[in-house]
Amino acid sequence: RMWAMDPTPGVRLTIINPDAAAPYTGMLPGLIAGHYTQDQILIDLVRLARFAQARFILDRVTGIDRDQRQLILQNRAPISYDLLSLDIGIASDLPQVEGFAAHGNAAKPLGDYEQKWAAFVARDLDQPNLVLIGAGVGGVELALASAHRLRAKFAKITLVQRSDTALAGVGAVARAMLLDALRAAGITLITGAEPVQIMADRVVLQDGRELASD
């Protein structure tokens, strides 16, 4: 938006993204909780690029040729650049955990998670079991959002943390408030637990415990 209001003369701006819309990260928990619809959290990149008089390329970058100053794209010829800005985000899959690829759902990329969450909610299970791996701020936020969305279903939600401490690095007061919020929402927190296998209906921990999961 700022670029559109004050473009730099002689500069051609190009945006490359594999999807025509990008979900706004900060609104994902609200989407999971049911506060927002999918359309409300998506940024229309085509419309944004048109407003900024920028070129939009619907493709995926697969490599960077730094010597030739070119981006290697998946489906078209390389694109030259003078200045390159990368905002690739992160992924949260667990390739080292057996069965994750088949039965797990990574919270990032966001678009994939949102679609799988919508399919899960549409199953309309009675008293569903949900297991989330990772009790950092993001994991706690997703657990609370999931509990809110499934509150009428009396869902059993379990949050698993590999280390002995959840919310490491969070200030003491904020940490205490978040842990209280988990307890108030009826979310079970398990620390010092390492998931070693994910199956269609359960998560197996290193110590042999099995957590039912839909």
Side-chain angles (χ1 to χ4, degrees):
R1 194 179 300 135
M2 291 175 63
W3 181 275
M5 292 187 292
D6 187 22
T8 301
V11 175
R12 185 185 195 187
L13 183 64
T14 300
I15 300 171
I16 304 171
N17 199 66
D19 299 302
Y24 174 55
T25 308
M27 294 175 73
L28 176 68
L31 176 73
I32 299 304
H35 302 317
Y36 310 122
T37 64
Q38 183 186 43
D39 290 343
Q40 287 176 306
I41 77 162
L42 291 177
I43 301 168
D44 185 337
L45 299 179
V46 176
R47 181 181 178 187
L48 183 63
R50 188 180 297 122
F51 176 70
Q53 297 184 2
R55 175 175 56 164
F56 179 72
I57 296 176
L58 191 66
D59 207 340
R60 185 180 299 277
V61 176
T62 60
I64 303 173
D65 185 335
R66 296 176 63 187
D67 294 330
Q68 298 297 319
R69 301 180 75 85
Q70 288 186 329
L71 294 178
I72 312 304
L73 302 184
Q74 185 171 292
N75 299 310
R76 58 174 292 165
I79 299 290
S80 298
Y81 68 86
D82 294 300
L83 182 65
L84 174 63
S85 174
L86 297 174
D87 183 22
I88 58 175
I90 63 172
S92 59
D93 56 336
L94 298 170
Q96 75 278 13
V97 178
E98 181 184 348
F100 184 88
H103 306 297
N105 298 301
K108 296 182 180 181
L110 303 178
D112 293 345
Y113 188 81
E114 186 279 327
Q115 292 173 11
K116 292 175 180 177
W117 172 256
F120 169 72
V121 172
R123 289 168 63 188
D124 198 24
L125 300 173
D126 291 327
Q127 298 184 334
N129 295 296
L130 186 66
V131 176
L132 292 106
I133 299 171
V137 172
V140 168
E141 192 172 25
L142 275 183
L144 291 169
S146 301
H148 179 84
R149 182 65 172 273
L150 300 173
R151 61 194 183 282
K153 291 291 184 179
F154 302 102
K156 181 179 180 181
I157 299 177
T158 305
L159 190 57
V160 179
Q161 173 64 25
R162 178 168 50 188
S163 65
D164 292 331
T165 304
L167 296 162
V170 177
V173 174
R175 182 174 181 273
M177 292 175 66
L178 287 169
L179 292 176
D180 284 344
L182 289 176
R183 284 189 286 268
I187 297 168
T188 301
L189 174 63
I190 300 177
T191 58
E194 179 81 22
V196 294
Q197 185 180 14
I198 297 177
M199 303 171 72
D201 61 351
R202 75 198 74 173
V203 174
V204 181
L205 303 181
Q206 191 173 32
D207 59 10
R209 280 181 290 176
E210 297 186 358
L211 308 175
S213 179
D214 295 302

